[in-house]
Amino acid sequence: MIHGEKIGLRARHESDVPVLQSELYDDVATRSRADSRPWRPIPPGSGQSPYAVAEPSDEAACFSVVELESQEELVGEALLWGIDTHSRTAHIGISLRPAFRGRGLGVDVLQALCEYGFAVRGLQRLQIETLTDNTPMIAAATRAGFTREGTLRHSAWVYGAYADEAILGLLANDWTPRA
C-alpha cells in the first residue's frame, strides 16, 4: 500500500467492485463527466465493470483509495493510465465516492499517485485532463504541484453538449516528495 496522510492506495479487491459500480458508474451524469467513453448499462456482478479486478498491466495501474483513519473504508478509485514507458509519461484519474468529496482528500490522493508515478515507476511527466468547470479537481491538482498548461476547446462530449477540458501537468523535476 502507498500511504498518504489520510488515505492509502491499495490493490482493488473484489468487494470494492460493487460499491464503485453503484456509486461511481451507475450515476450516469457524473460518470459522463469523468470518462470520455460513452456510458453503457452494465449489470451488477458483470465482469465488464470498469472496476473489475484485472491482471497487472504495464499500461495502467488501478488502485482503490481507502481512508486510513476509519480502518480502510473505501473512498474511491485512483489510477495512472496510458502509461508510456518509452516517453515515461502517464495520465492520472481519480474518482471519489460522494460521501468523501469536499473533504480535501483529492490532494492527498494526487500526492500518493505522484509518489507512485515518480518514485516507484520512474516516470518523467504526469498529466491530468479534466473539464474546465471541475474546480475541485483543478484546485486539488494545483495544490499538489500541477501547472495548468492549456485548454482544449469543445474536446469532450458530456451528456448532450460539448465541454472544454483543462490540461494540467507535473514533471518529476518539479515534484516535491512528502517528508
PDB file of all heavy atoms in Angstrom, residues 57-94:
ATOM      1  N   SER A  57      -0.922  -4.572 -15.417  1.00  0.00           N
ATOM      2  CA  SER A  57      -0.652  -4.152 -16.782  1.00  0.00           C
ATOM      3  C   SER A  57       0.455  -3.103 -16.781  1.00  0.00           C
ATOM      4  O   SER A  57       0.574  -2.318 -15.840  1.00  0.00           O
ATOM      5  CB  SER A  57      -1.934  -3.546 -17.368  1.00  0.00           C
ATOM      6  OG  SER A  57      -1.669  -2.774 -18.495  1.00  0.00           O
ATOM      7  N   ASP A  58       1.238  -3.082 -17.851  1.00  0.00           N
ATOM      8  CA  ASP A  58       2.255  -2.035 -17.998  1.00  0.00           C
ATOM      9  C   ASP A  58       1.638  -0.712 -18.411  1.00  0.00           C
ATOM     10  O   ASP A  58       2.249   0.329 -18.249  1.00  0.00           O
ATOM     11  CB  ASP A  58       3.297  -2.452 -19.039  1.00  0.00           C
ATOM     12  CG  ASP A  58       4.214  -3.544 -18.530  1.00  0.00           C
ATOM     13  OD1 ASP A  58       4.364  -3.689 -17.297  1.00  0.00           O
ATOM     14  OD2 ASP A  58       4.790  -4.269 -19.380  1.00  0.00           O
ATOM     15  N   GLU A  59       0.412  -0.735 -18.953  1.00  0.00           N
ATOM     16  CA  GLU A  59      -0.226   0.474 -19.467  1.00  0.00           C
ATOM     17  C   GLU A  59      -1.104   1.191 -18.449  1.00  0.00           C
ATOM     18  O   GLU A  59      -1.485   2.338 -18.661  1.00  0.00           O
ATOM     19  CB  GLU A  59      -1.074   0.150 -20.700  1.00  0.00           C
ATOM     20  CG  GLU A  59      -0.258  -0.230 -21.919  1.00  0.00           C
ATOM     21  CD  GLU A  59       0.183  -1.696 -21.892  1.00  0.00           C
ATOM     22  OE1 GLU A  59      -0.562  -2.529 -21.355  1.00  0.00           O
ATOM     23  OE2 GLU A  59       1.284  -1.983 -22.387  1.00  0.00           O
ATOM     24  N   ALA A  60      -1.461   0.522 -17.355  1.00  0.00           N
ATOM     25  CA  ALA A  60      -2.341   1.143 -16.354  1.00  0.00           C
ATOM     26  C   ALA A  60      -2.045   0.567 -14.975  1.00  0.00           C
ATOM     27  O   ALA A  60      -1.670  -0.597 -14.841  1.00  0.00           O
ATOM     28  CB  ALA A  60      -3.805   0.909 -16.712  1.00  0.00           C
ATOM     29  N   ALA A  61      -2.213   1.408 -13.974  1.00  0.00           N
ATOM     30  CA  ALA A  61      -2.091   0.986 -12.575  1.00  0.00           C
ATOM     31  C   ALA A  61      -3.348   1.471 -11.868  1.00  0.00           C
ATOM     32  O   ALA A  61      -3.541   2.677 -11.689  1.00  0.00           O
ATOM     33  CB  ALA A  61      -0.845   1.576 -11.939  1.00  0.00           C
ATOM     34  N   CYS A  62      -4.225   0.534 -11.512  1.00  0.00           N
ATOM     35  CA  CYS A  62      -5.514   0.871 -10.908  1.00  0.00           C
ATOM     36  C   CYS A  62      -5.474   0.577  -9.412  1.00  0.00           C
ATOM     37  O   CYS A  62      -5.099  -0.515  -9.000  1.00  0.00           O
ATOM     38  CB  CYS A  62      -6.632   0.054 -11.551  1.00  0.00           C
ATOM     39  SG  CYS A  62      -6.770   0.327 -13.321  1.00  0.00           S
ATOM     40  N   PHE A  63      -5.878   1.561  -8.628  1.00  0.00           N
ATOM     41  CA  PHE A  63      -5.878   1.452  -7.178  1.00  0.00           C
ATOM     42  C   PHE A  63      -7.271   1.697  -6.625  1.00  0.00           C
ATOM     43  O   PHE A  63      -8.053   2.452  -7.197  1.00  0.00           O
ATOM     44  CB  PHE A  63      -4.963   2.512  -6.546  1.00  0.00           C
ATOM     45  CG  PHE A  63      -3.527   2.407  -6.940  1.00  0.00           C
ATOM     46  CD1 PHE A  63      -3.025   3.178  -7.979  1.00  0.00           C
ATOM     47  CD2 PHE A  63      -2.674   1.556  -6.262  1.00  0.00           C
ATOM     48  CE1 PHE A  63      -1.693   3.100  -8.336  1.00  0.00           C
ATOM     49  CE2 PHE A  63      -1.335   1.469  -6.616  1.00  0.00           C
ATOM     50  CZ  PHE A  63      -0.843   2.243  -7.662  1.00  0.00           C
ATOM     51  N   SER A  64      -7.538   1.097  -5.478  1.00  0.00           N
ATOM     52  CA  SER A  64      -8.661   1.516  -4.659  1.00  0.00           C
ATOM     53  C   SER A  64      -8.089   2.473  -3.625  1.00  0.00           C
ATOM     54  O   SER A  64      -6.995   2.247  -3.101  1.00  0.00           O
ATOM     55  CB  SER A  64      -9.320   0.320  -3.973  1.00  0.00           C
ATOM     56  OG  SER A  64     -10.082  -0.412  -4.903  1.00  0.00           O
ATOM     57  N   VAL A  65      -8.824   3.539  -3.365  1.00  0.00           N
ATOM     58  CA  VAL A  65      -8.415   4.525  -2.362  1.00  0.00           C
ATOM     59  C   VAL A  65      -9.158   4.187  -1.081  1.00  0.00           C
ATOM     60  O   VAL A  65     -10.377   4.020  -1.095  1.00  0.00           O
ATOM     61  CB  VAL A  65      -8.762   5.961  -2.806  1.00  0.00           C
ATOM     62  CG1 VAL A  65      -8.335   6.976  -1.753  1.00  0.00           C
ATOM     63  CG2 VAL A  65      -8.140   6.280  -4.163  1.00  0.00           C
ATOM     64  N   VAL A  66      -8.424   4.079   0.011  1.00  0.00           N
ATOM     65  CA  VAL A  66      -9.033   3.781   1.297  1.00  0.00           C
ATOM     66  C   VAL A  66      -8.637   4.851   2.308  1.00  0.00           C
ATOM     67  O   VAL A  66      -7.564   5.439   2.227  1.00  0.00           O
ATOM     68  CB  VAL A  66      -8.631   2.379   1.822  1.00  0.00           C
ATOM     69  CG1 VAL A  66      -9.212   1.282   0.937  1.00  0.00           C
ATOM     70  CG2 VAL A  66      -7.128   2.234   1.937  1.00  0.00           C
ATOM     71  N   GLU A  67      -9.552   5.106   3.238  1.00  0.00           N
ATOM     72  CA  GLU A  67      -9.280   6.063   4.307  1.00  0.00           C
ATOM     73  C   GLU A  67      -8.559   5.320   5.423  1.00  0.00           C
ATOM     74  O   GLU A  67      -9.028   4.278   5.889  1.00  0.00           O
ATOM     75  CB  GLU A  67     -10.590   6.667   4.807  1.00  0.00           C
ATOM     76  CG  GLU A  67     -10.407   7.836   5.726  1.00  0.00           C
ATOM     77  CD  GLU A  67     -11.729   8.521   6.042  1.00  0.00           C
ATOM     78  OE1 GLU A  67     -12.707   7.813   6.330  1.00  0.00           O
ATOM     79  OE2 GLU A  67     -11.754   9.747   5.991  1.00  0.00           O
ATOM     80  N   LEU A  68      -7.421   5.814   5.844  1.00  0.00           N
ATOM     81  CA  LEU A  68      -6.607   5.116   6.836  1.00  0.00           C
ATOM     82  C   LEU A  68      -7.217   5.174   8.234  1.00  0.00           C
ATOM     83  O   LEU A  68      -7.182   4.193   8.967  1.00  0.00           O
ATOM     84  CB  LEU A  68      -5.192   5.702   6.847  1.00  0.00           C
ATOM     85  CG  LEU A  68      -4.417   5.559   5.534  1.00  0.00           C
ATOM     86  CD1 LEU A  68      -3.084   6.293   5.620  1.00  0.00           C
ATOM     87  CD2 LEU A  68      -4.220   4.099   5.170  1.00  0.00           C
ATOM     88  N   GLU A  69      -7.795   6.324   8.598  1.00  0.00           N
ATOM     89  CA  GLU A  69      -8.319   6.517   9.953  1.00  0.00           C
ATOM     90  C   GLU A  69      -9.494   5.598  10.266  1.00  0.00           C
ATOM     91  O   GLU A  69      -9.655   5.130  11.379  1.00  0.00           O
ATOM     92  CB  GLU A  69      -8.736   7.971  10.146  1.00  0.00           C
ATOM     93  CG  GLU A  69      -9.178   8.307  11.545  1.00  0.00           C
ATOM     94  CD  GLU A  69      -9.505   9.778  11.671  1.00  0.00           C
ATOM     95  OE1 GLU A  69      -8.570  10.598  11.579  1.00  0.00           O
ATOM     96  OE2 GLU A  69     -10.691  10.097  11.846  1.00  0.00           O
ATOM     97  N   SER A  70     -10.328   5.331   9.281  1.00  0.00           N
ATOM     98  CA  SER A  70     -11.557   4.564   9.521  1.00  0.00           C
ATOM     99  C   SER A  70     -11.398   3.079   9.197  1.00  0.00           C
ATOM    100  O   SER A  70     -12.317   2.450   8.686  1.00  0.00           O
ATOM    101  CB  SER A  70     -12.697   5.152   8.696  1.00  0.00           C
ATOM    102  OG  SER A  70     -12.404   4.983   7.317  1.00  0.00           O
ATOM    103  N   GLN A  71     -10.236   2.545   9.489  1.00  0.00           N
ATOM    104  CA  GLN A  71     -10.000   1.113   9.238  1.00  0.00           C
ATOM    105  C   GLN A  71     -10.152   0.764   7.765  1.00  0.00           C
ATOM    106  O   GLN A  71     -10.781  -0.225   7.408  1.00  0.00           O
ATOM    107  CB  GLN A  71     -10.928   0.250  10.105  1.00  0.00           C
ATOM    108  CG  GLN A  71     -10.816   0.520  11.586  1.00  0.00           C
ATOM    109  CD  GLN A  71      -9.411   0.249  12.117  1.00  0.00           C
ATOM    110  OE1 GLN A  71      -8.771  -0.696  11.728  1.00  0.00           O
ATOM    111  NE2 GLN A  71      -8.936   1.115  13.005  1.00  0.00           N
ATOM    112  N   GLU A  72      -9.620   1.609   6.925  1.00  0.00           N
ATOM    113  CA  GLU A  72      -9.554   1.356   5.486  1.00  0.00           C
ATOM    114  C   GLU A  72     -10.915   1.333   4.790  1.00  0.00           C
ATOM    115  O   GLU A  72     -11.181   0.488   3.936  1.00  0.00           O
ATOM    116  CB  GLU A  72      -8.757   0.083   5.194  1.00  0.00           C
ATOM    117  CG  GLU A  72      -7.327   0.176   5.647  1.00  0.00           C
ATOM    118  CD  GLU A  72      -6.472  -0.976   5.157  1.00  0.00           C
ATOM    119  OE1 GLU A  72      -6.925  -1.759   4.303  1.00  0.00           O
ATOM    120  OE2 GLU A  72      -5.339  -1.067   5.622  1.00  0.00           O
ATOM    121  N   GLU A  73     -11.786   2.263   5.117  1.00  0.00           N
ATOM    122  CA  GLU A  73     -13.061   2.389   4.402  1.00  0.00           C
ATOM    123  C   GLU A  73     -12.788   2.845   2.974  1.00  0.00           C
ATOM    124  O   GLU A  73     -11.954   3.710   2.728  1.00  0.00           O
ATOM    125  CB  GLU A  73     -13.970   3.385   5.110  1.00  0.00           C
ATOM    126  CG  GLU A  73     -15.347   3.453   4.477  1.00  0.00           C
ATOM    127  CD  GLU A  73     -16.323   4.329   5.233  1.00  0.00           C
ATOM    128  OE1 GLU A  73     -15.956   4.919   6.259  1.00  0.00           O
ATOM    129  OE2 GLU A  73     -17.476   4.423   4.762  1.00  0.00           O
ATOM    130  N   LEU A  74     -13.509   2.254   2.018  1.00  0.00           N
ATOM    131  CA  LEU A  74     -13.314   2.557   0.603  1.00  0.00           C
ATOM    132  C   LEU A  74     -13.748   3.986   0.297  1.00  0.00           C
ATOM    133  O   LEU A  74     -14.887   4.376   0.537  1.00  0.00           O
ATOM    134  CB  LEU A  74     -14.114   1.563  -0.253  1.00  0.00           C
ATOM    135  CG  LEU A  74     -13.973   1.701  -1.760  1.00  0.00           C
ATOM    136  CD1 LEU A  74     -12.541   1.434  -2.207  1.00  0.00           C
ATOM    137  CD2 LEU A  74     -14.939   0.747  -2.451  1.00  0.00           C
ATOM    138  N   VAL A  75     -12.831   4.781  -0.253  1.00  0.00           N
ATOM    139  CA  VAL A  75     -13.059   6.186  -0.580  1.00  0.00           C
ATOM    140  C   VAL A  75     -13.375   6.358  -2.065  1.00  0.00           C
ATOM    141  O   VAL A  75     -14.189   7.188  -2.443  1.00  0.00           O
ATOM    142  CB  VAL A  75     -11.822   7.032  -0.195  1.00  0.00           C
ATOM    143  CG1 VAL A  75     -11.925   8.451  -0.716  1.00  0.00           C
ATOM    144  CG2 VAL A  75     -11.611   7.023   1.309  1.00  0.00           C
ATOM    145  N   GLY A  76     -12.727   5.565  -2.917  1.00  0.00           N
ATOM    146  CA  GLY A  76     -12.921   5.706  -4.357  1.00  0.00           C
ATOM    147  C   GLY A  76     -11.851   4.971  -5.122  1.00  0.00           C
ATOM    148  O   GLY A  76     -11.277   3.999  -4.629  1.00  0.00           O
ATOM    149  N   GLU A  77     -11.582   5.470  -6.324  1.00  0.00           N
ATOM    150  CA  GLU A  77     -10.566   4.852  -7.171  1.00  0.00           C
ATOM    151  C   GLU A  77      -9.563   5.896  -7.628  1.00  0.00           C
ATOM    152  O   GLU A  77      -9.863   7.088  -7.686  1.00  0.00           O
ATOM    153  CB  GLU A  77     -11.186   4.167  -8.386  1.00  0.00           C
ATOM    154  CG  GLU A  77     -11.682   5.136  -9.438  1.00  0.00           C
ATOM    155  CD  GLU A  77     -11.698   4.535 -10.841  1.00  0.00           C
ATOM    156  OE1 GLU A  77     -11.096   3.474 -11.071  1.00  0.00           O
ATOM    157  OE2 GLU A  77     -12.309   5.161 -11.711  1.00  0.00           O
ATOM    158  N   ALA A  78      -8.365   5.433  -7.946  1.00  0.00           N
ATOM    159  CA  ALA A  78      -7.310   6.282  -8.492  1.00  0.00           C
ATOM    160  C   ALA A  78      -6.517   5.441  -9.477  1.00  0.00           C
ATOM    161  O   ALA A  78      -6.354   4.237  -9.275  1.00  0.00           O
ATOM    162  CB  ALA A  78      -6.411   6.792  -7.369  1.00  0.00           C
ATOM    163  N   LEU A  79      -6.034   6.073 -10.533  1.00  0.00           N
ATOM    164  CA  LEU A  79      -5.280   5.298 -11.499  1.00  0.00           C
ATOM    165  C   LEU A  79      -4.303   6.145 -12.284  1.00  0.00           C
ATOM    166  O   LEU A  79      -4.483   7.352 -12.428  1.00  0.00           O
ATOM    167  CB  LEU A  79      -6.212   4.568 -12.464  1.00  0.00           C
ATOM    168  CG  LEU A  79      -7.080   5.402 -13.381  1.00  0.00           C
ATOM    169  CD1 LEU A  79      -7.270   4.678 -14.703  1.00  0.00           C
ATOM    170  CD2 LEU A  79      -8.439   5.621 -12.742  1.00  0.00           C
ATOM    171  N   LEU A  80      -3.265   5.487 -12.735  1.00  0.00           N
ATOM    172  CA  LEU A  80      -2.415   6.004 -13.795  1.00  0.00           C
ATOM    173  C   LEU A  80      -2.799   5.195 -15.020  1.00  0.00           C
ATOM    174  O   LEU A  80      -2.881   3.965 -14.962  1.00  0.00           O
ATOM    175  CB  LEU A  80      -0.927   5.791 -13.491  1.00  0.00           C
ATOM    176  CG  LEU A  80      -0.316   6.551 -12.329  1.00  0.00           C
ATOM    177  CD1 LEU A  80       1.187   6.311 -12.276  1.00  0.00           C
ATOM    178  CD2 LEU A  80      -0.601   8.030 -12.399  1.00  0.00           C
ATOM    179  N   TRP A  81      -3.053   5.867 -16.122  1.00  0.00           N
ATOM    180  CA  TRP A  81      -3.452   5.177 -17.348  1.00  0.00           C
ATOM    181  C   TRP A  81      -2.662   5.750 -18.514  1.00  0.00           C
ATOM    182  O   TRP A  81      -2.053   6.810 -18.386  1.00  0.00           O
ATOM    183  CB  TRP A  81      -4.961   5.280 -17.582  1.00  0.00           C
ATOM    184  CG  TRP A  81      -5.487   6.683 -17.695  1.00  0.00           C
ATOM    185  CD1 TRP A  81      -5.846   7.509 -16.682  1.00  0.00           C
ATOM    186  CD2 TRP A  81      -5.697   7.425 -18.895  1.00  0.00           C
ATOM    187  NE1 TRP A  81      -6.263   8.716 -17.164  1.00  0.00           N
ATOM    188  CE2 TRP A  81      -6.186   8.689 -18.533  1.00  0.00           C
ATOM    189  CE3 TRP A  81      -5.515   7.139 -20.244  1.00  0.00           C
ATOM    190  CZ2 TRP A  81      -6.491   9.678 -19.469  1.00  0.00           C
ATOM    191  CZ3 TRP A  81      -5.836   8.122 -21.180  1.00  0.00           C
ATOM    192  CH2 TRP A  81      -6.327   9.366 -20.776  1.00  0.00           C
ATOM    193  N   GLY A  82      -2.665   5.041 -19.600  1.00  0.00           N
ATOM    194  CA  GLY A  82      -1.903   5.494 -20.763  1.00  0.00           C
ATOM    195  C   GLY A  82      -0.425   5.614 -20.442  1.00  0.00           C
ATOM    196  O   GLY A  82       0.257   6.502 -20.944  1.00  0.00           O
ATOM    197  N   ILE A  83       0.076   4.701 -19.595  1.00  0.00           N
ATOM    198  CA  ILE A  83       1.484   4.759 -19.206  1.00  0.00           C
ATOM    199  C   ILE A  83       2.341   4.451 -20.433  1.00  0.00           C
ATOM    200  O   ILE A  83       2.174   3.429 -21.088  1.00  0.00           O
ATOM    201  CB  ILE A  83       1.794   3.761 -18.069  1.00  0.00           C
ATOM    202  CG1 ILE A  83       0.967   4.122 -16.819  1.00  0.00           C
ATOM    203  CG2 ILE A  83       3.283   3.754 -17.750  1.00  0.00           C
ATOM    204  CD1 ILE A  83       1.041   3.089 -15.712  1.00  0.00           C
ATOM    205  N   ASP A  84       3.219   5.377 -20.739  1.00  0.00           N
ATOM    206  CA  ASP A  84       4.124   5.248 -21.879  1.00  0.00           C
ATOM    207  C   ASP A  84       5.524   5.044 -21.315  1.00  0.00           C
ATOM    208  O   ASP A  84       6.144   5.982 -20.820  1.00  0.00           O
ATOM    209  CB  ASP A  84       4.050   6.522 -22.725  1.00  0.00           C
ATOM    210  CG  ASP A  84       4.965   6.508 -23.939  1.00  0.00           C
ATOM    211  OD1 ASP A  84       5.971   5.767 -23.937  1.00  0.00           O
ATOM    212  OD2 ASP A  84       4.694   7.277 -24.876  1.00  0.00           O
ATOM    213  N   THR A  85       6.014   3.809 -21.369  1.00  0.00           N
ATOM    214  CA  THR A  85       7.311   3.503 -20.764  1.00  0.00           C
ATOM    215  C   THR A  85       8.482   4.052 -21.583  1.00  0.00           C
ATOM    216  O   THR A  85       9.574   4.204 -21.054  1.00  0.00           O
ATOM    217  CB  THR A  85       7.487   1.980 -20.570  1.00  0.00           C
ATOM    218  OG1 THR A  85       7.317   1.327 -21.824  1.00  0.00           O
ATOM    219  CG2 THR A  85       6.485   1.451 -19.557  1.00  0.00           C
ATOM    220  N   HIS A  86       8.262   4.357 -22.851  1.00  0.00           N
ATOM    221  CA  HIS A  86       9.323   4.944 -23.669  1.00  0.00           C
ATOM    222  C   HIS A  86       9.515   6.423 -23.323  1.00  0.00           C
ATOM    223  O   HIS A  86      10.613   6.861 -23.017  1.00  0.00           O
ATOM    224  CB  HIS A  86       9.025   4.775 -25.157  1.00  0.00           C
ATOM    225  CG  HIS A  86      10.032   5.426 -26.037  1.00  0.00           C
ATOM    226  ND1 HIS A  86      11.296   4.919 -26.199  1.00  0.00           N
ATOM    227  CD2 HIS A  86       9.969   6.564 -26.784  1.00  0.00           C
ATOM    228  CE1 HIS A  86      11.971   5.716 -27.017  1.00  0.00           C
ATOM    229  NE2 HIS A  86      11.191   6.713 -27.386  1.00  0.00           N
ATOM    230  N   SER A  87       8.420   7.182 -23.353  1.00  0.00           N
ATOM    231  CA  SER A  87       8.500   8.618 -23.037  1.00  0.00           C
ATOM    232  C   SER A  87       8.429   8.879 -21.538  1.00  0.00           C
ATOM    233  O   SER A  87       8.631  10.010 -21.102  1.00  0.00           O
ATOM    234  CB  SER A  87       7.374   9.379 -23.745  1.00  0.00           C
ATOM    235  OG  SER A  87       7.520   9.277 -25.144  1.00  0.00           O
ATOM    236  N   ARG A  88       8.073   7.843 -20.760  1.00  0.00           N
ATOM    237  CA  ARG A  88       7.978   7.906 -19.305  1.00  0.00           C
ATOM    238  C   ARG A  88       6.927   8.927 -18.866  1.00  0.00           C
ATOM    239  O   ARG A  88       7.175   9.790 -18.032  1.00  0.00           O
ATOM    240  CB  ARG A  88       9.339   8.176 -18.682  1.00  0.00           C
ATOM    241  CG  ARG A  88      10.302   7.020 -18.938  1.00  0.00           C
ATOM    242  CD  ARG A  88      11.700   7.206 -18.451  1.00  0.00           C
ATOM    243  NE  ARG A  88      11.777   7.813 -17.140  1.00  0.00           N
ATOM    244  CZ  ARG A  88      12.749   8.654 -16.786  1.00  0.00           C
ATOM    245  NH1 ARG A  88      13.699   8.971 -17.633  1.00  0.00           N
ATOM    246  NH2 ARG A  88      12.773   9.160 -15.578  1.00  0.00           N
ATOM    247  N   THR A  89       5.728   8.789 -19.443  1.00  0.00           N
ATOM    248  CA  THR A  89       4.608   9.664 -19.117  1.00  0.00           C
ATOM    249  C   THR A  89       3.390   8.825 -18.763  1.00  0.00           C
ATOM    250  O   THR A  89       3.318   7.639 -19.101  1.00  0.00           O
ATOM    251  CB  THR A  89       4.239  10.575 -20.306  1.00  0.00           C
ATOM    252  OG1 THR A  89       3.827   9.749 -21.409  1.00  0.00           O
ATOM    253  CG2 THR A  89       5.413  11.444 -20.735  1.00  0.00           C
ATOM    254  N   ALA A  90       2.437   9.457 -18.090  1.00  0.00           N
ATOM    255  CA  ALA A  90       1.175   8.796 -17.778  1.00  0.00           C
ATOM    256  C   ALA A  90       0.121   9.852 -17.492  1.00  0.00           C
ATOM    257  O   ALA A  90       0.433  11.012 -17.190  1.00  0.00           O
ATOM    258  CB  ALA A  90       1.321   7.862 -16.571  1.00  0.00           C
ATOM    259  N   HIS A  91      -1.131   9.431 -17.572  1.00  0.00           N
ATOM    260  CA  HIS A  91      -2.276  10.261 -17.239  1.00  0.00           C
ATOM    261  C   HIS A  91      -2.795   9.822 -15.877  1.00  0.00           C
ATOM    262  O   HIS A  91      -2.669   8.662 -15.496  1.00  0.00           O
ATOM    263  CB  HIS A  91      -3.377  10.097 -18.287  1.00  0.00           C
ATOM    264  CG  HIS A  91      -2.924  10.433 -19.666  1.00  0.00           C
ATOM    265  ND1 HIS A  91      -3.092  11.671 -20.220  1.00  0.00           N
ATOM    266  CD2 HIS A  91      -2.287   9.690 -20.600  1.00  0.00           C
ATOM    267  CE1 HIS A  91      -2.589  11.684 -21.437  1.00  0.00           C
ATOM    268  NE2 HIS A  91      -2.087  10.490 -21.689  1.00  0.00           N
ATOM    269  N   ILE A  92      -3.423  10.762 -15.172  1.00  0.00           N
ATOM    270  CA  ILE A  92      -3.966  10.498 -13.837  1.00  0.00           C
ATOM    271  C   ILE A  92      -5.480  10.593 -13.882  1.00  0.00           C
ATOM    272  O   ILE A  92      -6.037  11.489 -14.525  1.00  0.00           O
ATOM    273  CB  ILE A  92      -3.415  11.511 -12.811  1.00  0.00           C
ATOM    274  CG1 ILE A  92      -1.976  11.156 -12.453  1.00  0.00           C
ATOM    275  CG2 ILE A  92      -4.276  11.578 -11.566  1.00  0.00           C
ATOM    276  CD1 ILE A  92      -1.359  12.063 -11.420  1.00  0.00           C
ATOM    277  N   GLY A  93      -6.129   9.696 -13.164  1.00  0.00           N
ATOM    278  CA  GLY A  93      -7.568   9.774 -12.967  1.00  0.00           C
ATOM    279  C   GLY A  93      -7.912   9.439 -11.529  1.00  0.00           C
ATOM    280  O   GLY A  93      -7.318   8.524 -10.958  1.00  0.00           O
ATOM    281  N   ILE A  94      -8.824  10.201 -10.951  1.00  0.00           N
ATOM    282  CA  ILE A  94      -9.336   9.863  -9.617  1.00  0.00           C
ATOM    283  C   ILE A  94     -10.841  10.076  -9.613  1.00  0.00           C
ATOM    284  O   ILE A  94     -11.367  10.915 -10.346  1.00  0.00           O
ATOM    285  CB  ILE A  94      -8.680  10.675  -8.472  1.00  0.00           C
ATOM    286  CG1 ILE A  94      -9.068  12.149  -8.514  1.00  0.00           C
ATOM    287  CG2 ILE A  94      -7.177  10.531  -8.485  1.00  0.00           C
ATOM    288  CD1 ILE A  94      -8.631  12.930  -7.279  1.00  0.00           C
TER     289      ILE A  94
END
